[in-house]
Amino acid sequence: MAKNIFIIDDDEEILNLLQFGLSRADFNVKVAKNYQEAFTTIQKGELPDLFIVDYYLPEIDGIALSREFLSKGIKRPVFLFTAVGNDSINISDCPEN
């Protein structure tokens, strides 16, 4: 059975590239361009096996979004990424579930 992945990224090119590649690798992929769109999908009960989240979303960063998932009882792995180089990201800020 194919695994379900939910990608959250505001960059449409990156979103399309990840969706294309993962779909070709037989993953079921859902996408959202922002925090609101992601939670609208999640509220419908569509939880993935894995979230892939852009660290630099406009309204919330990936670590805060991961904490938001946990506060709502959503315990799924979150893979954070960014296309922007930055040494100020501290992985120890990430929540553990």
Side-chain angles (χ1 to χ4, degrees), residues 28-80:
N28 295 321
V29 181
K30 292 207 178 291
V31 297
K33 294 179 186 173
N34 58 52
Y35 170 85
Q36 257 335 81
E37 196 175 313
F39 273 98
T40 298
T41 300
I42 291 167
Q43 288 173 339
K44 295 176 185 175
E46 300 178 28
L47 290 177
D49 298 299
L50 170 71
F51 287 99
I52 298 177
V53 179
D54 179 13
Y55 182 85
Y56 290 109
L57 292 170
E59 60 277 319
I60 187 171
D61 71 51
I63 291 174
L65 182 57
S66 298
R67 287 192 181 114
E68 186 74 17
F69 289 156
L70 286 175
S71 75
K72 294 183 181 310
I74 301 168
K75 295 185 177 183
R76 296 291 194 275
V78 176
F79 179 89
L80 293 174

Side-chain angles (χ1 to χ4, degrees), residues 74-95:
I74 301 168
K75 295 185 177 183
R76 296 291 194 275
V78 176
F79 179 89
L80 293 174
F81 77 100
T82 182
V84 178
N86 187 334
D87 292 336
S88 69
I89 298 171
N90 187 348
I91 195 69
S92 66
D93 291 336
C94 292

